[in-house]
Amino acid sequence: MRVTFTVNGRRTEADDVWEGESLLYVLRERLGLPGSKNACEQGECGSCTVYLDGATVCACLVAAGQAQGRDVRTVEGLAAGERLAPVQQAFLDAGAVQCGFCTPGLLVQAHALLAATPRPSDADIREALSGNLCRCTGYEKIMDAVRLAAGRRAGAETDPAGAEGAS
């Protein structure tokens, strides 16, 4: 089947899509968008998180045919051209990009959190990122990055090394 949908603002077609093919497979293998990672293929780790019509989903759990006529935004679509989204820059500045495998899903989920809750508490951040697993180490630098992005959005930069969560 042919699937026509919008990806990162561009109308896109994928031909010869098998009924059981995941959106993640189509994004990565057919459309050449490797940002969303294929880790567990069970919706457990969040590495493949993308927006589907503005809501975050695990792309590994969405059949590609379900994207027909819909809007998909991947981690590649967060940046404005060559300029990183504030949350992407905050992850770099806070040292939250470790091996990088979980980072795309965390970025999309953190982006969604900050869009809905511009000044999240630490509990808000933990809850929002609870479906995204990082196996490298702890989550403190990730928390710092989200706090930093929130602080920058609010106009007051927050020190990621010693900041308390914005509330």
Side-chain angles (χ1 to χ4, degrees):
M1 80 174 126
R2 171 179 282 173
V3 180
T4 304
F5 56 115
T6 302
V7 179
N8 299 331
R10 288 192 200 157
R11 181 184 155 96
T12 305
E13 292 180 348
D15 289 322
D16 300 322
V17 174
W18 171 63
E19 289 179 20
E21 217 166 87
S22 71
L23 176 61
L24 177 61
Y25 183 86
V26 169
L27 292 171
R28 289 182 54 82
E29 305 303 328
R30 293 180 179 271
L31 302 180
L33 293 169
S36 304
K37 300 299 185 225
N38 184 3
C40 72
E41 294 189 70
Q42 298 175 4
E44 298 287 331
C45 73
S47 294
C48 63
T49 303
V50 298
Y51 283 104
L52 180 63
D53 288 342
T56 57
V57 298
C58 288
C60 70
L61 297 179
V62 176
Q66 291 177 290
Q68 175 66 35
R70 298 176 78 180
D71 182 59
V72 175
R73 189 173 182 192
T74 68
V75 69
E76 289 95 340
L78 297 183
E82 304 231 349
R83 195 169 129 228
L84 295 176
V87 72
Q88 291 172 311
Q89 188 62 54
F91 267 63
L92 286 174
D93 294 344
V97 177
Q98 297 164 104
C99 84
F101 209 79
C102 66
T103 304
L106 285 163
L107 285 169
V108 172
Q109 198 63 48
H111 185 270
L113 167 66
L114 295 174
T117 309
R119 303 279 300 175
S121 67
D122 283 0
D124 294 334
I125 298 169
R126 284 190 189 95
E127 175 66 24
L129 302 182
S130 64
N132 296 78
L133 303 178
C134 172
R135 292 187 172 90
C136 289
T137 182
Y139 290 83
E140 278 310 308
K141 292 201 179 286
I142 294 165
M143 294 286 293
D144 291 345
V146 178
R147 289 183 201 119
L148 180 60
R152 285 177 175 168
R153 284 176 58 121
E157 198 159 308
T158 303
D159 176 10
E164 292 297 316
S167 56

